[in-house]
Amino acid sequence: MLSALAAAFALAVAGPLQTGEAPDRYSLELTVIHAGVQTVGARAVLVEDSSAQITVQDVDGLFEMNAQLTPVQGDGDDDTLALTVSIIDGEAQPFEPNLILKRGGDASIVIGQEGPDGVMFEGLTVTLKPLAEDD
């Protein structure tokens, strides 16, 4: 599926939340759309300076996503994080987007093709959002 998704690739990163200290735990959500239908919907908690994995196996094969969220070193800015993602869809070539975001900020990776109605027809979305302390 990923080999067919090269038609569109978009990243969006928002700034940090304006509420006290930035959280060190994030919600990592994965949504996969195939032929206009959501086939995968998964969520994991990703803690700063650690990794998370989402694996789904169905009749079409194995789909795996590994994500790592680490502080960026060496630039003097303690508020910068790097999100590294590896997405494997069966035997297809892995897709490995990386992005930099502000600690406490939201990030989104969208890869896919839209149908004539402007709605994603084939693709995936990875979303990272900070969790509140009580989540």
Side-chain angles (χ1 to χ4, degrees), residues 28 30 46 52 64-69 82-88 94-99 109 111 124 126 128:
L28 179 69
L30 169 68
L46 182 57
E64 185 174 0
M65 181 181 75
N66 297 299
Q68 188 171 24
L69 186 64
L83 176 63
T84 305
V85 180
S86 175
I87 301 168
I88 302 166
F95 186 74
E96 299 177 332
N98 302 298
L99 50 100
I109 301 169
I111 308 164
L124 61 90
V126 177
L128 183 74

Side-chain angles (χ1 to χ4, degrees), residues 2 4-11 95 110-114 120 122-124:
L2 287 179
L5 298 178
F9 176 67
L11 300 176
F95 186 74
V110 180
I111 308 164
Q113 299 171 339
E114 292 181 348
M120 185 179 294
E122 191 77 32
L124 61 90

